[in-house]
């Protein structure tokens, strides 16, 4: 089976405050489009995961840890 993430919510932080939130539907996340700078914090919230089995059938999969956080270097 393969997995895909159909929707994400990305929040960027600078100097202790939020600089914006953007919802992304499928595809890829381009950090340059978020106008991040060195030292900025990024939090990605996974809003859903889909599992595609060998027959091509799609079903929802549970998300155990929906948040991913990191800093831009």
């Amino acid at each position: 089976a393969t997995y895909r993430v159909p929707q994400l919510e990305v929040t960027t932080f600078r100097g202790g405050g939020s600089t914006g939130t953007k919802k992304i539907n499928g595809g890829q996340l381009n950090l340059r489009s978020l106008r991040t700078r060195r030292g900025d914090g990024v939090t990605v919230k996974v809003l859903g995961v889909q599992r595609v089995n060998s027959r091509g059938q799609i079903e929802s999969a549970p998300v155990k840890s929906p948040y991913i956080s990191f800093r831009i270097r």
Side-chain angles (χ1 to χ4, degrees), residues 22 29-36 72:
K22 184 176 183 180
L29 171 60
N30 181 353
L31 292 176
R32 289 182 190 242
S33 71
L34 300 174
R35 298 182 182 171
T36 54
I72 303 295

Side-chain angles (χ1 to χ4, degrees), residues 6 32 54-55 57 59 68:
R32 289 182 190 242
S54 59
R55 296 182 189 143
Q57 298 168 327
E59 57 188 41
I68 302 165

Side-chain angles (χ1 to χ4, degrees), residues 26-57:
Q28 297 179 356
L29 171 60
N30 181 353
L31 292 176
R32 289 182 190 242
S33 71
L34 300 174
R35 298 182 182 171
T36 54
R37 297 191 303 203
R38 185 180 203 152
D40 285 356
V42 178
T43 299
V44 178
K45 181 180 180 183
V46 177
L47 298 175
V49 174
Q50 295 176 333
R51 180 181 184 270
V52 182
N53 65 19
S54 59
R55 296 182 189 143
Q57 298 168 327

